Amino acid sequence: MSRIALPVCLCGGLMWLVASAAAVASSAAPAWSLIPQPAKASPAASGAVDVADGAMISVQGHDTHDVQSIVERLATRLADTQGLHLRMAPGNDAHAVITFALNPSAEIADESGYRIAVDEQGIRVTSRTARGAFYGSVTLWQLLTPPGWTRGKPVEVAYGVIEDQPRFAWRALLLDSGRHFQSVADIKKLIDWMSLNKLNVLLWHLTEDQGWRLAIPTYPELTRTGACRKAVGLDSELTGSPDTPYCGFYTEADAREIVRYAAERYVDVVPEFDLPGHSQAAVAAYPWLGVTGERPQVWTDWGVSPWLLKPDEKSLNFVDDVLDEMMRLFPSRYVSIGGDEADKQQWNASTEVRARMRKLGFANMDQLQVWFTNQAAAHLLKHGRTPVGWDDALAAGAKLPTSQVVMSWHGDHNERVALAAIRQGHDVVMTPQESLYFDHVQSDLPDEWAGPPPAATLQQTYDTAVIPHGASDTDARHIIGVQAGLWTEQMLTFAHDQHAVFPRIAAMAELGWSPANAHDWPRFLQRLPAELARYRALGIDYADSAFAPAFHITGADQKGLRVELSSQTGYGTIRYTTDGSTPTNQSAPYTSPLAFTGKVTLRAATFSSDGFELAAPRTQVLDETSLWSRDGSALDTCSRQPPSRLDGSSPARGSRPVYSVDIGNACWLWSKAPLDGAAHVTLTVERITWRFGDEAKDAIARHKTSPAGEFEIHADSCTGTLLARLPLERVTQAKGQVQLDSKVVAPAGAGVRDLCILATGDPREGQWALARIAFSR
């Protein structure tokens, strides 16, 4: 699935909170810092159980084999992350500090529920099922890694009682393995980590235009041909050469191993076979599956491809065969058949398909698509499975079988599509792209990683409307859960996957698990530092965008500079140094704007009240040229739409650059640029391979004055006075960043002027990105 470019303008950037003295004052962490927040947590006013290295843990009850395995994994995790080593006690050992009790008759509200009692007798975790014991073990691990814990040191767990169970049955993360492929080892890590946030569904997106990822023995070309694409753009860095194709698929053994591993962590792996769209790789393998009879390449672009499965019996037999294999490999009650983003231009152009549409009595191709997907749904129902699909058909006004679970990603207009699905009798999973698509950028920081707009911040994720506006209590019972989407067009590596998912997954976990009355953003922020410390101990490369310091630089008197520091959430204390050293929790706290003259290296980081580093240091070099330069991410787009963040090529040294780009429109605006005395300008730019699919139709080509084109800088507007023209002849074939230099012909008394920086030519021949613009005397 691709994302629709939403008409949202972040022209002035995200709303950044100034870190005033009031904003940075962090409340003390709660006695129990747990995420997701339990249904009921009642710490006592006093008393605590000490858990030290070598503490004993026992398992009680009948048929406790699965619980024994859960406890052993808990002990391993605790040793790896906290440095405490628990010893397994035989039977009902009276010396056990921690006891897991499996009691099918216990008064626990849900089979996934549990009860933890901490008192003078120790810590007792009670559940009716092994699943409940697993979730109890996750909470116990969090109790044993409280705020400020020190590896290897004994832990005090406050007395009290936790009674807990999930709000929703479906708490999911979608993993797109079609666009970019993840190893089995990395998928296992992701399953492990998501289970520690009490998510229980991995929706595994296995078929795409850009790659078919699951081996189907009766159709070997699906992986022989469909699992490989040309290494276009940055894919060539992953393969090592443009001549080495980008390939990858999962064998039957791989699928079974992932299912087994997930089941041990109470995660249900739901496979997705997207149809009739997102099928170009399948048609590349077997051209008879398509409408034209031609064999396309496995797609190397991103976006929505027009290569759909042909709506006939032969294609439906293929669909049934693939679903049969998926049902054989995946024991899940659910199987997803997609149904999203079916560009019907080939169907509309086919006399055969139009004749079939009329023969079946349909008025349009949307109805024909629903008929096609309904045949697949019927096959699943016949075999006792529940079909799952996207809400696109409902958005187009069509109807689906009532038994089909609808994943609602059209979050616009107060969740109107989700509400329509509910009122047609569907169970619905809420996954609005505006806040739960984790490939979207998280901030407008200069170092934000690649991703599409608009931003889905940590708070936007936390504040997702799980129950659609206008839903009655009866309607609300059809909401069975929430789901985050990790679409991987721009997720080149597993490190990027981690950065995109964490810590937003913690916010999403509370939507799925915690009761509605526990929703409290400030308290969530108080509990988050301890969770981030756990992520760090697990080795998760999470994003710190929500807490990272941002620098706002303006001129001051006597040619000095004024710097304001802020963060997205305003939580924590920003601390800084001015000598280039690394800030610590003892460095000067930021309380008001700073003034500087001369050259200064300002570094700032954000800390919680207990000294935990919430955001790594960011650095800003301040000198007389600071006001004369801008990072491309600090500029507005000429369309005033939020930009995409696109990866550049990896340099020989240093980190990969990321650019803010309005895809198809190489044009930027610098409002109120100081030009007095400016005689030269330097642009740092890179040409990015065009692979943006259906966005080509909106691309803006500008007149070139030379065959290779040029960058131009205009005053006041994009057709205003030309200040500089920077030819591109020598750099059009360059790999990576290049610099362009030119004299500036500034108008008399230039002062402060609005600037337009644009690249001429057709971006579909290569999308120019602007890293930096700098004027000099």
Side-chain angles (χ1 to χ4, degrees), residues 512-687:
W513 183 279
S514 305
N517 61 13
H519 190 84
D520 189 316
W521 169 247
R523 290 184 181 275
F524 171 76
L525 286 178
Q526 289 177 19
R527 289 180 280 115
L528 190 57
E531 185 72 354
L532 296 179
R534 296 175 196 123
Y535 289 166
R536 196 173 291 178
L538 289 166
I540 299 174
D541 187 13
Y542 63 86
D544 63 2
S545 309
F547 309 101
F551 302 82
H552 181 62
I553 305 168
T554 55
D557 295 336
Q558 289 83 43
K559 297 184 178 181
L561 296 175
R562 183 177 187 269
V563 182
E564 293 178 76
L565 301 178
S566 61
S567 73
Q568 194 183 92
T569 61
Y571 182 81
T573 300
I574 296 176
R575 297 182 180 274
Y576 67 93
T577 62
T578 57
D579 59 0
S581 62
T582 301
T584 70
N585 63 352
Q586 300 301 312
S587 298
Y590 174 79
T591 57
S592 59
L594 307 172
F596 299 102
T597 57
K599 187 172 182 178
V600 171
T601 299
L602 177 63
R603 302 194 73 193
T606 309
F607 296 86
S608 63
S609 58
D610 64 359
F612 179 79
E613 185 184 80
L614 292 167
R618 266 64 170 181
T619 303
Q620 181 71 54
V621 177
L622 304 167
D623 58 26
E624 62 179 9
T625 68
S626 295
L627 296 179
W628 275 8
S629 61
R630 284 289 184 276
D631 187 276
S633 64
L635 304 177
D636 289 326
T637 65
C638 292
S639 66
R640 300 289 183 177
Q641 293 298 306
S644 292
R645 296 280 290 171
L646 301 180
D647 277 320
S649 300
S650 283
R653 291 186 298 274
S655 58
R656 181 190 299 276
V658 185
Y659 306 110
S660 293
V661 177
D662 187 1
I663 294 172
N665 187 9
C667 188
W668 298 262
L669 299 175
W670 181 352
S671 178
K672 298 180 180 179
L675 292 182
D676 271 343
H680 294 84
V681 65
T682 300
L683 300 184
T684 304
V685 301
E686 180 175 350
R687 200 178 200 189

Side-chain angles (χ1 to χ4, degrees), residues 715-751:
D716 304 323
S717 72
C718 293
T719 57
T721 303
L722 180 66
L723 303 184
R725 178 175 284 138
L726 299 91
L728 293 167
E729 280 91 350
R730 67 180 180 83
V731 298
T732 53
Q733 302 304 317
K735 179 178 172 59
Q737 286 188 353
V738 294
Q739 286 193 341
L740 308 172
D741 297 285
S742 174
K743 291 183 178 180
V744 175
V745 183

